[in-house]
Amino acid sequence: MAKKTKSKSTKSVKSVNSIETNEKMSKIISFAKRRGFVFPSSEIYGGFSSIYDYGPYGVELLNNIKKFWWKHMIQLRDNIIGLDSAIFMHPKIWEASGHVAGFSDPLAECKKCHFRFRVDTLLEELGFSADEKMSLGQIEKLFRKNIDKIKCSKCGSNEFTEIKKFNLLVQSNLGNFSSDFEKEPVYLRGETCQGIYVNYKNVLDSTRVKIPFGIAQIGKAFRNEITARQFIFRTREFEQMEMQYFVNPKSEMEEYEKLKEYRWQYYLDLGIKAKNLKWYKHKNLVFYAKEAYDIEYNFPFGFKELEGIHARGDYDLKQHSKFSGKDLSYTDATTSEKYIPHVIESSAGVGRTFLALMTEAYTEEKIDNDIRVVLKLLPELAPIKIAVFPLLKNKPELVKKASEIFNELRKLYMCEFDDNGNIGKRYRRQDEIGTPYCVTVDFDTLEKNEVTVRDRDTMKQEKIKIENLIDYFKLRI
Ligand code: ATP
């Protein structure tokens, strides 16, 4: 629950508005829509603020990001296992976690145009830190003291309402026929990790894991974010990839350092350049936190949080033990040592990773008098791995052969068949969506049983025998 453990701002009113006017960002936003990666939600109804849909290529990239994460966090690890907990949970969980009381941002409203904004991020832009340790009264005082420097970014007025705490939990009406509903509304989860904490004992009892071990899951989370209009960087419905690692209190910091290292390397493996990544150390930690760092990525609008890595002490399990009345302690089978495990967490956003990868991979190359747009994604992440083209669509023998090859390759890889337009245009269409390889079937194919394979990045072409094609791709994808 990073809202409580950090005070670092992400946006101010001004920078919020500037995100979509940033040149690279606008290019990515329009490219993402034009090529079927990201669509604004409910567009034919005028849109739905801060919610986005992933299109045909977007969903492939999204799934590949999640697969990559799952592979690195579970498949390749001895002691981390997966979980898929439900979005709806017992309302008490959000009380125990502190979300009902404390998961909020300070909000003010322009008296003239009713534009609402986060006061902490606005103050941060002016150079003041308004962290969660400050009372609302203190934030209000700081805000009023600097009022002459503050303007509504929408209408220019500087008359604002009193600052209120705005809780980010999204309430539902699930079960509102029951008499308990008024007392305890049901929330859509604000983070996925609470589902992990409350299943810690189930996992322990049903598997052979021993401390240290981790539970990881990917899933949707919902937050009533005040500041909208930041494309997929900050949305009200989003997906998280979270891993909670349960450790002996004595080794908490040692395990924390290892996790930090592992997660940094993960982003390099994902194809992100080290110069575009940076650590941010949280300055004002909440009482239970031992240490908190974020990995930030150099988005077109500057370095911002991509993932949080936090050493959380025993707060989470202690709280759930207290509120549920269940013993969540762990007894070491060899030493008989009994303790409440401490938790270190890695919490990353799928959408933010998507945006980081789009930023990293979107390239415009000048070739002669033309601009080639190419999405330089790792083959493992590319929505389409191989495109197959018959050289001419009016030659049935070429189309037939290309279809045969396409049908074989699609059994192993996400492939696309394209017989429309000249080859150069077809290459460009695939470059734009990041397809690493294109296979062209021409008259040589019929005679010599070989195809032309063209590489997205080098644009080099080579002849490959059809019978060697699968091995060729196995080595590269
Ligand atoms: P921020 O400070 O940007 O609001 P946070 O510190 O509240 O983020 P966490 O609660 O630590 O975020 O969530 C973990 C991760 O989930 C973040 O690093 C981010 O990748 C992702 N995330 C959080 N909120 C959102 C959101 N509204 N939209 C998209 N991704 C989000």
Side-chain angles (χ1 to χ4, degrees):
M1 182 184 167
K3 280 283 170 296
K4 291 187 83 185
T5 59
K6 71 187 275 198
S7 63
K8 178 176 64 91
S9 102
T10 46
K11 304 286 138 340
S12 77
V13 174
K14 264 186 237 142
S15 63
V16 165
N17 288 340
S18 69
I19 277 197
E20 284 165 3
T21 53
N22 174 300
E23 200 193 332
K24 176 141 191 200
M25 201 57 220
S26 337
K27 263 189 188 162
I28 290 175
I29 295 171
S30 60
F31 166 79
K33 174 151 189 254
R34 182 170 58 80
R35 292 311 321 264
F37 281 85
V38 184
F39 303 135
S41 160
S42 323
E43 206 183 1
I44 59 167
Y45 286 92
F48 196 58
S49 184
S50 277
I51 309 276
Y52 288 88
D53 298 335
Y54 289 85
Y57 295 127
V59 67
E60 293 298 332
L61 176 54
L62 208 65
N63 286 340
N64 293 340
I65 292 170
K66 291 189 267 185
K67 263 188 243 160
F68 192 94
W69 186 86
W70 199 263
K71 181 174 168 191
H72 285 253
M73 295 305 277
I74 294 167
Q75 193 178 325
L76 297 176
R77 299 283 305 233
D78 297 331
N79 52 355
I80 303 182
I81 45 186
L83 179 80
D84 187 15
S85 68
I87 285 171
F88 290 113
M89 287 188 269
H90 196 291
K92 277 263 173 324
I93 288 173
W94 302 106
E95 267 179 61
S97 66
H99 281 76
V100 172
F103 194 51
S104 57
D105 286 330
L107 170 144
E109 188 176 310
C110 169
K111 279 189 178 166
K112 212 167 147 198
C113 73
H114 305 291
F115 181 72
R116 291 172 152 202
F117 56 92
R118 269 174 73 172
V119 179
D120 54 339
T121 54
L122 179 75
L123 286 170
E124 286 238 352
E125 189 152 275
L126 293 171
F128 302 104
S129 167
D131 60 70
E132 74 283 344
K133 284 188 176 162
M134 281 172 83
S135 69
L136 217 50
Q138 286 170 315
I139 299 177
E140 179 85 49
K141 228 173 163 179
L142 192 62
F143 180 67
R144 297 294 159 195
K145 206 171 144 200
N146 292 286
I147 200 77
D148 53 328
K149 297 179 205 136
I150 299 168
K151 268 191 195 146
C152 169
S153 69
K154 210 167 166 198
C155 72
S157 152
N158 78 339
E159 284 190 52
F160 305 102
T161 58
E162 254 183 35
I163 300 169
K164 289 190 292 205
K165 266 195 171 180
F166 186 78
N167 193 292
L168 304 186
L169 280 178
V170 177
Q171 212 171 301
S172 81
N173 73 347
L174 187 85
N176 73 351
F177 36 77
S178 106
S179 56
D180 287 342
F181 186 78
E182 287 295 306
K183 282 184 274 152
E184 286 186 326
V186 176
Y187 299 101
L188 275 79
R189 66 181 172 202
E191 58 183 21
T192 53
C193 59
Q194 296 304 326
I196 295 181
Y197 302 138
V198 299
N199 276 296
Y200 146 85
K201 205 165 166 19
N202 281 336
V203 171
L204 207 57
D205 293 345
S206 60
T207 66
R208 290 167 46 236
V209 289
K210 288 194 184 73
I211 276 189
F213 73 92
I215 306 178
Q217 80 164 327
I218 300 176
K220 292 260 181 175
F222 302 83
R223 292 181 190 178
N224 240 333
E225 297 280 2
I226 300 165
T227 318
R229 299 178 60 202
Q230 297 176 43
F231 192 43
I232 53 172
F233 177 81
R234 186 181 305 283
T235 49
R236 294 186 175 131
E237 173 181 339
F238 58 99
E239 263 183 305
Q240 289 185 313
M241 304 180 279
E242 295 201 292
M243 195 281 292
Q244 309 293 311
Y245 205 59
F246 299 91
V247 301
N248 185 312
K250 289 179 204 142
S251 52
E252 181 174 5
M253 295 323 286
E254 187 191 322
E255 294 290 354
Y256 181 66
E257 287 311 318
K258 280 197 240 164
L259 183 64
K260 272 176 67 194
E261 215 173 283
Y262 191 76
R263 294 302 299 159
W264 182 268
Q265 184 57 45
Y266 163 90
Y267 286 108
L268 302 181
D269 294 345
L270 199 63
I272 293 181
K273 289 179 212 80
K275 68 169 174 123
N276 288 329
L277 293 170
K278 161 167 122 178
W279 286 110
Y280 172 84
K281 186 179 195 295
H282 288 222
K283 290 171 197 102
N284 299 306
L285 297 174
V286 275
F287 68 95
Y288 56 80
K290 296 274 172 51
E291 192 93 273
Y293 275 85
D294 294 338
I295 294 182
E296 295 190 333
Y297 175 72
N298 189 12
F299 290 100
F301 39 88
F303 276 97
K304 300 286 172 213
E305 176 177 338
L306 187 53
E307 140 155 21
I309 303 168
H310 306 152
R312 304 180 52 84
D314 60 4
Y315 177 78
D316 305 291
L317 290 185
K318 243 189 184 159
Q319 285 294 100
H320 285 303
S321 185
K322 187 169 140 197
F323 277 72
S324 68
K326 300 283 181 312
D327 178 14
L328 297 180
S329 63
Y330 176 85
T331 306
D332 189 304
T334 5
T335 62
S336 303
E337 189 187 359
K338 191 175 173 187
Y339 55 86
I340 295 269
H342 283 208
V343 167
I344 58 175
E345 77 167 353
S346 149
S347 176
V350 183
R352 284 193 196 175
T353 307
F354 186 109
L355 184 57
L357 285 170
M358 290 289 259
T359 310
E360 192 80 8
Y362 181 90
T363 317
E364 290 180 355
E365 288 176 354
K366 201 162 186 302
I367 297 176
D368 303 325
N369 286 326
D370 201 13
I371 300 284
R372 175 173 95 116
V373 173
V374 47
L375 210 54
K376 294 192 171 178
L377 291 167
L378 289 186
E380 202 174 339
L381 298 170
I384 303 294
K385 315 292 185 209
I386 307 160
V388 183
F389 311 149
L391 181 66
L392 300 166
K393 78 171 179 189
N394 55 2
K395 294 283 173 207
E397 62 278 33
L398 293 184
V399 175
K400 184 168 174 276
K401 193 76 196 163
S403 306
E404 279 168 22
I405 294 172
F406 171 68
N407 282 326
E408 277 312 302
L409 290 173
R410 77 197 306 196
K411 289 178 191 160
L412 298 170
Y413 302 108
M414 197 69 201
C415 296
E416 205 166 84
F417 186 86
D418 187 0
D419 60 4
N420 206 4
N422 69 43
I423 289 287
K425 281 204 180 122
R426 286 184 246 172
Y427 282 153
R428 290 299 162 84
R429 276 203 289 272
Q430 296 300 328
D431 289 344
E432 273 196 332
I433 59 162
T435 307
Y437 298 102
C438 295
V439 171
T440 303
V441 171
D442 56 20
F443 294 103
D444 271 0
T445 315
L446 304 179
E447 270 174 34
K448 300 185 200 153
N449 232 19
E450 58 186 29
V451 291
T452 306
V453 177
R454 185 257 198 185
D455 180 291
R456 175 195 70 197
D457 297 337
T458 62
M459 292 190 284
K460 289 218 172 89
Q461 303 182 4
E462 55 181 321
K463 294 279 188 189
I464 305 290
K465 289 271 178 227
I466 294 177
E467 68 260 32
N468 297 335
L469 213 46
I470 287 181
D471 283 342
Y472 177 91
F473 289 128
K474 267 193 188 152
L475 272 178
R476 289 165 176 79
I477 299 179

